Amino acid sequence: SMSGLLAAAWALLAAAFLAALLLLLRADDSGGASAASGLLQDLVRYGKTKRGGGQGPAWLRRLQVPKRWFTHFYVVSVLWNGFLLIKLFQAEFLGGLLPSWIQLVHRALGRDSPSEDTGNEHFSALLVLVLLWLHSCRRLAECLWTSVFSGGVIHVVQYCFGLVYYVAVGSTVLCQVPTNVRNGRELSVQIRWYHLAGVVMYVWASLHQHRCLVILANLRKSKSGKVVSLSHSVPFGDWFERLSCPHYFAELLIYVSLAVVLGFHNVTWWCVVTYVLFCQALAAVLSHEFYQKNFSSYPKHRKAFIPFI
């Protein structure tokens, strides 16, 4: 059976980011500056953590794009995951069919056998896709109207990876829907305690992520809301009192909340969560290092990513 293929792909991606994190920590400890280490640094660092900003050889600068292009990730996510959400809604409630490519993926992953599912898996996947789409909408709005981007850059490989990621994560959710699509079952029958618990956790983490992003943006604005600086400052307030990158921690909690909505037992989604854990940890450790090196009075009790760890 190929049913574990999708989970294995996400687990492999998680392992790659864990390896990158360990290699960076080892390079920092040894002061290594090999060509391989330099390439890795250029691939994973972005924004304020990218040494030399937009400097360096001309050929290398051609492989960099503005960090503000992060906005494109959420445009793609809103459009793609919105499309998937419409297709799933039509299949669940309007008697439509899932796209043929999704049916092909189901067969490839061994999901063509009859299921004893009572409707919970269908509703769980639909709810996760709704929450993922709402998350993308909020992040797009924050990129457009809240965040203040400096002249930071990201590697073009990171940029392309980000575009593919938001297509892959929504498609992964859709692939969790059992093939026995039923029509018109009442939602009240399908709602379980873990759906409510997951949504509460999702809202809680999302509120804190938004607050932290507002705090970061306000560091560059006057009281009237006008942008007055593009430099980096030490943030305070909300979860910043304990963490250097609480918005990354909130992102992890959002993905954990989706695992809760799926009923805790979805191995594929826990592999996605593991990927998010190591991906965000890598970015957080680099940001934590930046703050410590550039601000002598930086609070020593703050952790990089996860409270008390």
Side-chain angles (χ1 to χ4, degrees), residues 4 34 65 97 150 152 169 190 198 275 285:
S34 65
V65 297
L97 294 174
S150 64
V169 74
Q190 302 164 38
Y275 156 75
V285 165

Side-chain angles (χ1 to χ4, degrees), residues 153-226:
V153 296
I154 58 174
H155 199 284
V156 69
V157 171
Q158 285 177 303
Y159 174 72
C160 294
F161 176 83
L163 294 175
V164 172
Y165 167 77
Y166 282 100
V167 171
V169 74
S171 303
T172 297
V173 176
L174 200 57
C175 287
Q176 304 314 300
V177 180
T179 51
N180 61 328
V181 175
R182 32 151 261 310
N183 296 312
R185 190 182 175 95
E186 290 186 14
L187 295 183
S188 59
V189 176
Q190 302 164 38
I191 294 175
R192 296 291 183 266
W193 68 269
Y194 52 80
H195 296 143
L196 298 175
V199 169
V200 169
M201 184 179 181
Y202 169 89
V203 171
W204 174 66
S206 297
L207 285 173
H208 279 285
Q209 187 177 56
H210 178 71
R211 287 177 190 167
C212 291
L213 291 169
V214 168
I215 288 171
L216 286 173
N218 286 343
L219 291 174
R220 294 176 171 177
K221 296 177 181 178
S222 64
K223 290 184 179 180
S224 64
K226 183 180 179 181

Side-chain angles (χ1 to χ4, degrees), residues 11-309:
L12 186 62
L13 199 56
F17 274 83
L18 173 60
L21 176 59
L22 295 175
L23 285 171
L24 278 177
L25 292 174
R26 182 179 177 185
D28 286 343
D29 289 341
S30 63
S34 65
S37 173
L39 178 61
L40 177 64
Q41 299 267 359
D42 190 52
L43 280 173
V44 302
R45 290 180 180 271
Y46 60 85
K48 62 179 176 289
T49 69
K50 201 169 187 72
R51 291 164 181 167
Q55 311 303 314
W59 68 269
L60 193 58
R61 291 201 300 274
R62 293 194 191 99
L63 298 177
Q64 297 172 347
V65 297
K67 185 190 171 186
R68 64 174 58 89
W69 284 15
F70 266 41
T71 307
H72 301 171
F73 299 163
Y74 302 112
V75 171
V76 168
S77 185
V78 168
L79 295 175
W80 175 251
N81 293 318
F83 165 75
L84 296 183
L85 187 56
I86 290 170
K87 289 297 181 182
L88 183 55
F89 185 86
Q90 289 175 337
E92 291 290 331
F93 301 112
L94 302 178
L97 294 174
L98 290 174
S100 57
W101 64 270
I102 281 292
Q103 296 179 46
L104 287 172
V105 171
H106 272 123
R107 286 195 287 272
L109 297 176
R111 297 215 66 168
D112 238 5
S113 56
S115 172
E116 296 179 1
D117 173 54
T118 60
N120 292 335
E121 283 188 65
H122 291 272
F123 179 67
S124 297
L126 181 63
L127 183 54
V128 166
L129 203 51
V130 168
L131 295 175
L132 188 64
W133 183 75
L134 289 175
H135 176 62
S136 302
C137 290
R138 176 178 63 81
R139 290 294 296 117
L140 176 58
E142 287 165 342
C143 285
L144 292 174
W145 297 299
T146 301
S147 298
V148 180
F149 293 103
S150 64
V153 296
I154 58 174
H155 199 284
V156 69
V157 171
Q158 285 177 303
Y159 174 72
C160 294
F161 176 83
L163 294 175
V164 172
Y165 167 77
Y166 282 100
V167 171
V169 74
S171 303
T172 297
V173 176
L174 200 57
C175 287
Q176 304 314 300
V177 180
T179 51
N180 61 328
V181 175
R182 32 151 261 310
N183 296 312
R185 190 182 175 95
E186 290 186 14
L187 295 183
S188 59
V189 176
Q190 302 164 38
I191 294 175
R192 296 291 183 266
W193 68 269
Y194 52 80
H195 296 143
L196 298 175
V199 169
V200 169
M201 184 179 181
Y202 169 89
V203 171
W204 174 66
S206 297
L207 285 173
H208 279 285
Q209 187 177 56
H210 178 71
R211 287 177 190 167
C212 291
L213 291 169
V214 168
I215 288 171
L216 286 173
N218 286 343
L219 291 174
R220 294 176 171 177
K221 296 177 181 178
S222 64
K223 290 184 179 180
S224 64
K226 183 180 179 181
V227 176
V228 294
S229 172
L230 293 181
S231 61
H232 297 284
S233 306
V234 177
F236 291 93
D238 204 72
W239 288 355
F240 279 111
E241 297 303 318
R242 293 192 178 276
L243 301 171
S244 292
C245 300
H247 47 310
Y248 296 160
F249 179 56
E251 185 82 1
L252 174 63
L253 292 181
I254 288 168
Y255 278 81
V256 170
S257 76
L258 300 183
V260 175
V261 170
L262 287 168
F264 295 96
H265 63 272
N266 191 296
V267 174
T268 299
W269 195 259
W270 281 113
C271 290
V272 175
V273 171
T274 304
Y275 156 75
V276 173
L277 167 65
F278 292 129
C279 175
Q280 300 295 314
L282 176 59
V285 165
L286 294 174
S287 292
H288 187 64
E289 172 193 77
F290 171 87
Y291 284 124
Q292 289 180 320
K293 286 184 176 180
N294 288 274
F295 300 97
S296 57
S297 59
Y298 192 71
K300 297 187 183 300
H301 67 275
R302 285 191 193 179
K303 303 303 180 183
F305 177 42
I306 299 176
F308 311 111
I309 296 177

